[in-house]
Amino acid sequence: MYFNGIYDLFYQYNPKGAAWGNIVRAHSVSKTAWWHNGHWRILVGGKRKHRGMAWLYRSIDFKYWVKAKHPLHSAPETGMWECPDFFALALNGRSGVDTSKVGEDVKHILKVSLDETRYEYYTLGKYFPEKDRYVPDNTSVDGRAGLRLDYGNFYASKTFFDPSKNMRILWGWANESDAADDDKAKGWAGVQTIPRVVWLSSDAKQVVQWPIKELETLRGQKVDINNQNVEQGQHVEVKGITAAQADVEVTFSFGSLEKAEEFDPNWANLDAQTVCSLRRSDVPGGVGPFGLLTLASQNLEEFTPIFFRVFKTKETKHKVLMCSDAKSSSLRPFNEKLYRPSFAGFVDVDLSADKKISLRSLIDHSVVESFGAGGKTCITSRVYPTLAVNDAAHLFVFNNGTKPVTVQTLSAWSVNAPQQMNQNLNSEHI
């Protein structure tokens, strides 16, 4: 199937693996073209020595392309840039805009996939079409310490504009975290994540993401929990759904932030992932860690926690850490080639006003996609439980902080597989 001029996507159904994101992706480093002043333009990622480059090509007829003298943008000490994506978002509202849109009412985003880290980074800035130059704002780092679309197992993403619904949609790739021999045994490797709508935050300093509305048509059995207090060390099971394939939305609230633990000054230069590895879900804190235990076995021999931890800082705002920790996700021996990282990102949210934070997690057998604070921080994890599979998987709310937290609202749904799509597949698509 030809997709938006860039990706050839091949669908392959695997009954034992992820059921929604069953799309294997062919690699490409170029991006959708945009039009301005009589020329098409397209980007190709590359590098010069150790400087990452977004090379610009122009064409009049979309057939013959000429490389521009200067790249659209580059950054030192970033290495090879793959899969660059360059697009605009409206400064106000959640509506998408055409890829060729320029003007004062939009802000441009340049996303690159860094080959050396295997993560996605982006900046927001201004596009000067007459010079074909992009200049990032000074609101974030232009490099490895900068903003990410997703702080987990998410790579080679691509956006496209949906003119029928006036939305910009993001798709990414979640590769495997087990060994190549496991891939051969499965007969496939890598899945496409759930499509996400993207828009600008209200302060225009970051991208916000949320699963497309159409995903909700797959929701089945629903359970709700409201105003449930969760004390330190308590686990509350969410019963009545298929926990191996679920959609969960929860809002946590807490009465006070006074008992939040101090943010260690020695962590000032550490990234969120390193901080999470030092303060995992089983390390008690003040306000947090609290969140969800996904793909959990009944007695918690296996679980993948998605959680928040609130720190005190010398700044006005508290520092909020969001983690998706795969350390306890599988009972498979650690000498096997199974990657179990503690993915994490900081959440740009001010808790001092209403003292609450939201989390949405999409759970699909070996994939957990999580959206913190309405999509400000997103983390995708690939995990491979041995006990918490199919009907033996469980879902819990937990709190390991000394301060009680309240599940203000929680709605969880069993999610059905897109059977019609899978039934229509044949060998021509593989």
Side-chain angles (χ1 to χ4, degrees):
M1 182 179 72
Y2 191 61
F3 178 75
N4 204 33
I6 294 299
Y7 294 158
D8 287 328
L9 297 178
F10 300 90
Y11 295 80
Q12 182 175 0
Y13 179 55
N14 173 49
K16 296 182 180 179
W20 312 337
N22 47 14
I23 303 171
V24 182
R25 175 188 171 281
H27 178 67
S28 173
V29 299
S30 55
K31 74 164 297 294
T32 303
W34 72 97
W35 173 267
H36 181 76
N37 198 24
H39 285 82
W40 289 103
R41 291 156 171 82
I42 199 168
L43 293 183
V44 175
K47 70 174 180 177
R48 178 186 290 160
K49 294 185 178 179
H50 203 244
R51 188 180 190 91
M53 316 288 284
W55 295 112
L56 180 72
Y57 286 76
R58 301 188 187 96
S59 174
I60 296 175
D61 57 7
F62 217 77
K63 295 180 180 179
Y64 302 98
W65 295 85
V66 178
K67 184 182 178 182
K69 183 178 180 180
H70 301 288
L72 180 80
H73 185 58
S74 66
E77 304 303 319
T78 52
M80 177 68 184
W81 284 7
E82 295 188 313
C83 305
D85 196 11
F86 187 59
F87 58 94
L89 291 175
L91 280 171
N92 297 302
R94 300 188 179 187
S95 297
V97 297
D98 185 84
T99 308
S100 300
K101 171 73 174 176
V102 294
E104 296 300 320
D105 57 342
V106 300
K107 186 173 285 292
H108 276 78
I109 289 86
L110 175 63
K111 187 280 305 181
V112 295
S113 306
L114 295 195
D115 179 55
E116 294 183 359
T117 65
R118 309 306 289 178
Y119 293 132
E120 304 267 278
Y121 301 83
Y122 73 93
T123 56
L124 300 96
K126 186 173 180 59
Y127 173 46
F128 297 90
E130 301 309 321
K131 297 181 179 180
D132 271 328
R133 291 296 183 92
Y134 166 76
V135 179
D137 297 340
N138 60 2
T139 54
S140 66
V141 175
D142 186 9
R144 296 187 182 192
L147 297 169
R148 298 188 204 173
L149 288 177
D150 191 295
Y151 290 84
N153 197 334
F154 183 93
Y155 196 70
S157 69
K158 174 69 180 70
T159 66
F160 66 92
F161 176 59
D162 181 351
S164 65
K165 296 194 174 181
N166 200 26
M167 298 184 301
R168 181 154 292 273
I169 308 298
L170 169 74
W171 271 9
W173 173 49
N175 64 340
E176 304 303 315
S177 294
D178 53 359
D181 289 343
D182 296 304
D183 299 340
K184 293 177 183 178
K186 291 192 295 274
W188 62 279
V191 295
Q192 208 74 9
T193 59
I194 293 299
R196 307 172 181 179
V197 182
V198 297
W199 66 92
L200 282 181
S201 60
S202 58
D203 60 5
K205 292 183 178 180
Q206 71 167 103
V207 168
V208 182
Q209 306 163 63
W210 199 248
I212 57 171
K213 185 74 173 176
E214 288 80 355
L215 180 67
E216 297 175 15
T217 64
L218 299 178
R219 288 173 171 174
Q221 179 68 31
K222 180 187 179 185
V223 295
D224 292 293
I225 298 176
N226 296 303
N227 299 315
Q228 170 78 58
N229 286 330
V230 186
E231 302 288 339
Q232 182 179 13
Q234 189 176 2
H235 303 82
V236 177
E237 184 168 5
V238 181
K239 298 180 179 181
I241 60 165
T242 55
Q245 194 166 303
D247 185 352
V248 188
E249 294 190 46
V250 56
T251 297
F252 297 97
S253 62
F254 22 88
S256 171
L257 298 173
E258 292 181 3
K259 291 189 177 181
E261 60 193 293
E262 297 284 347
F263 190 79
D264 192 330
N266 294 322
W267 301 341
N269 296 321
L270 300 181
D271 60 17
Q273 185 166 333
T274 304
V275 176
C276 180
S277 68
L278 297 172
R279 286 291 185 271
R280 288 191 150 97
S281 65
D282 57 353
V283 178
V287 182
F290 61 86
L292 300 174
L293 301 180
T294 68
L295 296 174
S297 57
Q298 185 170 7
N299 296 318
L300 298 182
E301 299 94 338
E302 292 179 332
F303 59 91
T304 299
I306 318 298
F307 64 94
F308 298 107
R309 185 187 290 267
V310 182
F311 295 97
K312 290 180 182 177
T313 68
K314 294 181 180 180
E315 304 167 356
T316 304
K317 289 184 179 181
H318 287 75
K319 202 172 187 72
V320 181
L321 180 71
M322 176 178 166
C323 300
S324 180
D325 191 357
K327 180 183 178 182
S328 303
S329 62
S330 179
L331 288 179
R332 286 170 55 175
F334 271 86
N335 58 358
E336 291 189 18
K337 294 180 180 178
L338 185 62
Y339 184 41
R340 293 178 246 218
S342 52
F343 289 133
F346 292 111
V347 189
D348 184 14
V349 60
D350 185 0
L351 299 179
S352 58
D354 50 14
K355 298 181 180 61
K356 64 182 180 180
I357 192 167
S358 66
L359 174 66
R360 183 178 182 184
S361 289
L362 306 176
I363 306 159
D364 191 18
H365 297 281
S366 71
V367 186
V368 183
E369 294 186 56
S370 299
F371 304 80
K376 283 192 169 185
T377 299
C378 307
I379 305 177
T380 299
S381 289
R382 296 300 308 276
V383 293
Y384 306 89
T386 61
L387 298 178
V389 248
N390 298 326
D391 293 340
H394 298 261
L395 174 67
F396 298 89
V397 177
F398 83 99
N399 175 31
N400 280 334
T402 58
K403 182 70 177 177
V405 298
T406 299
V407 176
Q408 186 171 314
T409 60
L410 182 148
S411 295
W413 295 263
S414 298
V415 175
N416 302 311
Q419 294 295 332
Q420 187 62 42
M421 181 187 77
N422 294 327
Q423 290 172 359
N424 288 340
L425 301 181
N426 55 56
S427 59
E428 295 178 0
H429 295 100
I430 297 175

